[in-house]
């Protein structure tokens, strides 16, 4: 069972859940666009048998602040500030979709902070045909303005992000969802090629790999992470 808390970082509050033995190797989970830390509830307890697991609500999501200013760089910097506040010098990262983008932006800006990284069906930093999403009906547990701002960035990423992948030193596992995913799988293969110490594994579950195939996902992640958290 996760304990829930929050911390002040960069003028906002970030909500997070934490579980696993105190002092265990730290593992940080970053959710997809429009999700929250709760999206990891199926797999986090399994990962927490071996790790101290921190699952964040990124800005504009869930119980974290909805400050009205949003970018993937701000989310990256929020996570770095979160690590600083909690005294986590070096961590393993797991990021799903948008959370994977935040993870690889962090790993290319401060490579020394990331030991190993798992990118679950995360879009590569390549331009794509833009589209405007339709707002769902009813109340939302995320800021719709955040969705619009980040979709624009994902559709037209900063050109510096692509060559920046070469600066990543963390061993990386790219988890592809296979042909049922809306993320182009060739792009994931290219992502794995551009990160120096990366490999690709496909779990044919669609975009929501950890939700659709939690056992296969956790087995792949735990097989990839060193048992004692030290390389």
């Amino acid at each position: 069972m996760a304990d829930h808390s929050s911390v002040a970082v960069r003028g906002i509050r970030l909500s997070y859940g934490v579980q696993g033995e105190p002092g265990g190797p730290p593992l940080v989970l970053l959710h997809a666009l429009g999700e929250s830390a709760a999206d990891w509830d199926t797999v986090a307890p399994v990962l927490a048998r071996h790790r101290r697991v921190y699952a964040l609500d990124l800005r504009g999501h869930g119980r974290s602040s909805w400050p009205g200013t949003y970018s993937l760089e701000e989310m990256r910097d929020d996570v770095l500030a979160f690590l600083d506040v909690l005294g986590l010098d070096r961590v393993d990262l797991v990021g799903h979709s948008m959370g994977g983008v935040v993870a690889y932006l962090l790993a290319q800006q401060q490579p020394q902070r990331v030991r190993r990284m798992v990118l679950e069906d995360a879009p590569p930093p390549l331009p794509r045909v833009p589209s405007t999403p339709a707002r769902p009906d009813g109340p939302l547990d995320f800021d719709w303005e955040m969705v619009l701002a980040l979709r624009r960035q994902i559709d037209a990423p900063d050109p510096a992000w692509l060559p920046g992948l070469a600066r990543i030193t963390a061993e990386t596992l790219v988890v592809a969802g296979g042909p049922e995913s809306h993320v182009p799988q060739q792009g994931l293969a290219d992502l794995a090629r551009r990160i120096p110490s990366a490999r690709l594994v496909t779990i044919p579950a669609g975009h929501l790999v950890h939700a659709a195939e939690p056992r296969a996902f956790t087995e792949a992640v735990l097989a990839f992470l060193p048992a004692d958290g030290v390389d």
Side-chain angles (χ1 to χ4, degrees), residues 24-175:
L27 175 64
V28 178
L29 308 180
L30 304 177
H31 61 76
L33 185 66
E35 297 291 347
S36 70
D39 187 53
W40 299 106
D41 283 354
T42 301
V43 299
V46 178
L47 299 174
R49 296 173 193 164
H50 309 270
R51 291 285 189 282
R52 182 71 164 170
V53 175
Y54 302 85
L56 276 68
D57 286 350
L58 295 167
R59 69 164 56 205
H61 293 83
R63 290 182 281 190
S64 288
S65 297
W66 298 15
T69 58
Y70 301 107
S71 72
L72 290 159
E73 295 94 338
E74 286 180 305
M75 288 184 171
R76 173 201 64 199
D77 293 345
D78 291 345
V79 177
L80 283 167
F82 172 84
L83 300 183
D84 290 342
V85 170
L86 270 65
L88 303 175
D89 292 332
R90 200 159 181 250
V91 300
D92 297 319
L93 283 179
V94 177
H96 176 220
S97 195
M98 176 207 74
V101 179
V102 175
Y104 65 64
L105 292 182
L106 189 158
Q108 64 181 245
Q109 177 168 327
Q110 294 200 18
Q112 75 282 4
R113 304 300 296 270
V114 185
R115 180 183 296 107
R116 292 202 178 192
M117 179 168 63
V118 178
L119 303 176
E120 179 194 351
D121 222 49
L126 295 168
R128 65 185 191 184
V129 177
S131 61
T132 302
R135 186 191 187 283
D137 294 332
L140 304 175
D141 62 356
F142 54 87
D143 190 340
W144 185 247
E145 292 304 314
M146 175 272 305
V147 172
L148 298 177
L150 267 60
R151 280 289 296 268
R152 287 191 292 269
Q153 275 198 294
I154 293 171
D155 289 342
D158 186 327
W161 295 352
L162 190 63
L165 296 173
R167 295 198 301 272
I168 295 173
T169 59
E171 289 195 47
T172 300
L173 181 67
V174 178
V175 178

Side-chain angles (χ1 to χ4, degrees), residues 1-6 15-19 37-38 41 55 57 63:
M1 195 74 172
D3 294 324
H4 293 279
S5 189
S6 66
S15 175
Y16 68 99
V18 60
Q19 54 189 305
D41 283 354
D57 286 350
R63 290 182 281 190

